[in-house]
Amino acid sequence: MDKASQQIELTAAQAQTCGEGFDYLIVGAGFAGSVLAERLANELGARVLIVDKRPHIGGNAYDCYDDAGVLIHPYGPHIFHTNSADIFDYLSRFTEWRPYQHRVLACVDGQQLPIPINLDTVNRLYGMNLTSFEMKEWLQTVVEPCDEVKTSEDVVVSTLGRDLYNKFFRGYTRKQWGLDPSELDASVTARVPLRTNRDDRYFADTFQAMPRHGYTRMFQNMLAHPRIKVMLNTDYREVVHLVPWKHMVYTGPIDAFFNHRHGKLPYRSLRFEHVTLPQAQFQPVGTVNHPNEYGYTRVSEFKHITGQQHHCTSVVYEYPCAEGDPYYPVPREENAALYRRYQAEADALDNVTFVGRLATYRYYNMDQVVGQSLAAFKRLRVRHEAVPQGAAPQTVMEPVAP
């Protein structure tokens, strides 16, 4: 018997022996699952089992040290930023912070230029010396007005004009999504701002910082409660019928929960190529985008992001792909319509709560997932307090049966 099977049997036996089981079975130990586990255990005194098929907690935000001793993000750079004081204060219970403002350059026409596009980007690209006011006037001469903005191409062309669209956005989007911007919902490029000043920060949020000791340490602190049991290397379907539980919190892909009965929801995935180099620094900023050349979209250097001092440096190349772990829901109307079919089935279940990016088919930032999870906790608190605490745990749930 392997270690994972032994762990499953041990947990099931312990639950049966104590005669109580768990109040909540949480599927996924990323932000959504971990925030809810912490709140349910600390605020309600609930017994929580959190299960993840990966060998670690933290989901895609998990970080670790590579063989050279450099702190890296195996699933690509995760930069924390938010405008919510409540969310920042909540996470501050579990970590100290290192102030960090992310900066990104894009390789265009042989130059590395600031992105989002700002005054310096335009002046250096076109050899001009515009002021902020003059840039606003110049933009009016290059934009292509659009009566109805429907696609990502419409957003950029009507804001920046055709040339900047072709140089900075079209190639990047085609690599990232495998589709032309004219085929994608406007929300894809609406996330990227335009600045007519010299502000070269990638984000403009009020709170911008990185966990001082890394994300994994923050998650460890979040889940360090005697009423939280963590089970790794385990598919929740292996334990759903073995371990007694009363309510499930599901943070995985919603279509997988229902066995893809309406078809698979499309996602874009990423392949990461990590490289450790025998030098102190590789590039001038945390991330350099490559919208037009090469198969990768961007290169990130972790020491900029973490602030670590080390004689070596580690970088990651990101290659978008169609197959692999689901990262980005593909924002097209037909996909939204398919999701709504699954959402209707999810809404009909009273013993499962769906939270997080994959469970709600939304491209949320980390702070948005935390906010969604805290809101879900408030709803679960009302439910928890309304259910008699002597209610028997359940062990069978047909919608998740293989």
Side-chain angles (χ1 to χ4, degrees):
M1 181 183 296
D2 59 27
K3 290 184 179 180
S5 298
Q6 289 176 342
Q7 184 185 30
I8 291 170
E9 290 200 0
L10 177 61
T11 301
Q14 289 174 339
Q16 296 288 355
T17 300
C18 70
E20 293 181 332
F22 295 93
D23 297 300
Y24 294 91
L25 171 61
I26 298 181
V27 180
F31 267 105
S34 296
V35 168
L36 276 163
E38 184 279 325
R39 290 287 78 197
L40 291 166
N42 277 298
E43 290 296 307
L44 303 184
R47 299 176 301 276
V48 179
L49 173 61
I50 184 167
V51 178
D52 200 296
K53 64 182 181 181
R54 287 175 171 172
H56 57 74
I57 59 175
N60 290 343
Y62 165 75
D63 52 19
C64 62
Y65 291 90
D66 66 10
D67 291 341
V70 179
L71 183 62
I72 66 169
H73 298 177
Y75 305 101
H78 283 67
I79 317 299
F80 188 81
H81 56 99
T82 185
N83 282 316
S84 170
D86 289 341
I87 290 172
F88 190 75
D89 289 344
Y90 168 73
L91 292 178
S92 297
R93 303 177 189 183
F94 313 106
T95 185
E96 297 176 6
W97 297 98
R98 170 185 172 264
Y100 173 72
Q101 295 182 328
H102 195 49
R103 285 173 170 81
V104 178
L105 298 173
C107 286
V108 172
D109 290 356
Q111 301 185 69
Q112 291 188 345
L113 302 170
I115 189 80
I117 290 171
N118 67 7
L119 182 61
D120 285 336
T121 310
V122 170
N123 280 337
R124 288 168 55 187
L125 180 64
Y126 296 112
M128 299 189 294
N129 192 29
L130 301 177
T131 64
S132 180
F133 178 76
E134 290 170 338
M135 179 176 169
K136 294 176 184 177
E137 291 185 328
W138 176 81
L139 284 170
Q140 295 307 308
T141 68
V142 299
V143 299
E144 298 179 10
C146 181
D147 293 333
E148 186 177 3
V149 175
K150 293 182 177 181
T151 70
S152 288
E153 179 179 301
D154 295 337
V155 171
V156 181
V157 171
S158 64
T159 305
L160 296 171
R162 183 71 55 177
D163 193 54
L164 288 173
Y165 162 74
N166 285 329
K167 291 180 185 297
F168 287 88
F169 292 95
R170 189 175 186 222
Y172 191 99
T173 304
R174 287 168 67 93
K175 284 195 284 185
Q176 180 73 18
W177 297 99
L179 294 167
D180 192 82
S182 62
E183 302 174 273
L184 286 168
D185 186 84
S187 63
V188 173
T189 46
R191 295 170 60 92
V192 181
L194 161 70
R195 300 187 182 126
T196 56
N197 56 23
R198 301 186 66 189
D199 184 356
D200 66 345
R201 299 173 302 160
Y202 196 72
F203 305 110
D205 297 49
T206 303
F207 302 95
Q208 301 184 47
M210 294 294 295
R212 183 172 296 279
H213 303 293
Y215 285 104
T216 299
R217 179 79 65 84
M218 181 181 73
F219 281 103
Q220 289 171 342
N221 293 337
M222 195 179 295
L223 297 175
H225 191 284
R227 285 183 171 266
I228 298 176
K229 170 73 175 179
V230 179
M231 214 179 211
L232 302 175
N233 293 303
T234 304
D235 188 313
Y236 79 99
R237 294 172 187 260
E238 298 177 85
V239 301
V240 69
H241 298 304
L242 297 178
V243 178
W245 53 271
K246 297 177 183 178
H247 191 89
M248 177 184 289
V249 174
Y250 181 81
T251 72
I254 189 172
D255 54 337
F257 180 90
F258 292 104
N259 297 309
H260 307 104
R261 64 179 59 165
H262 302 301
K264 285 191 174 184
L265 283 167
Y267 285 92
R268 288 293 283 177
S269 187
L270 292 171
R271 178 174 65 84
F272 302 102
E273 181 180 315
H274 289 269
V275 179
T276 301
L277 302 168
Q279 59 197 68
Q281 183 175 309
F282 176 72
Q283 60 191 29
V285 294
T287 297
V288 175
N289 288 356
H290 295 268
N292 303 309
E293 292 81 25
Y294 312 113
Y296 48 85
T297 50
R298 60 180 184 172
V299 182
S300 295
E301 185 174 11
F302 295 109
K303 285 168 57 182
H304 289 285
I305 298 167
T306 64
Q308 183 182 11
Q309 300 297 313
H310 198 285
H311 64 277
C312 291
T313 192
S314 290
V315 299
V316 62
Y317 296 77
E318 294 185 33
Y319 294 83
C321 50
E323 301 298 327
D325 289 342
Y327 284 91
Y328 304 107
V330 181
R332 305 181 77 184
E333 178 51 40
E334 57 265 40
N335 300 339
L338 178 57
Y339 163 70
R340 287 192 290 270
R341 297 182 68 184
Y342 285 115
Q343 183 183 27
E345 296 211 34
D347 290 344
L349 299 176
D350 64 358
N351 60 344
V352 187
T353 297
F354 293 79
V355 187
R357 270 188 180 189
L358 302 179
T360 56
Y361 203 64
R362 296 286 189 277
Y363 179 51
Y364 288 133
N365 291 328
M366 291 182 288
D367 67 315
Q368 293 172 312
V369 175
V370 174
Q372 185 193 38
S373 302
L374 292 174
F377 167 70
K378 292 180 180 179
R379 296 190 296 270
L380 286 173
R381 178 201 285 271
V382 173
R383 174 191 174 89
H384 182 92
E385 293 174 347
V387 175
Q389 294 308 297
Q394 67 177 68
T395 56
V396 178
M397 198 179 92
E398 292 305 322
V400 297

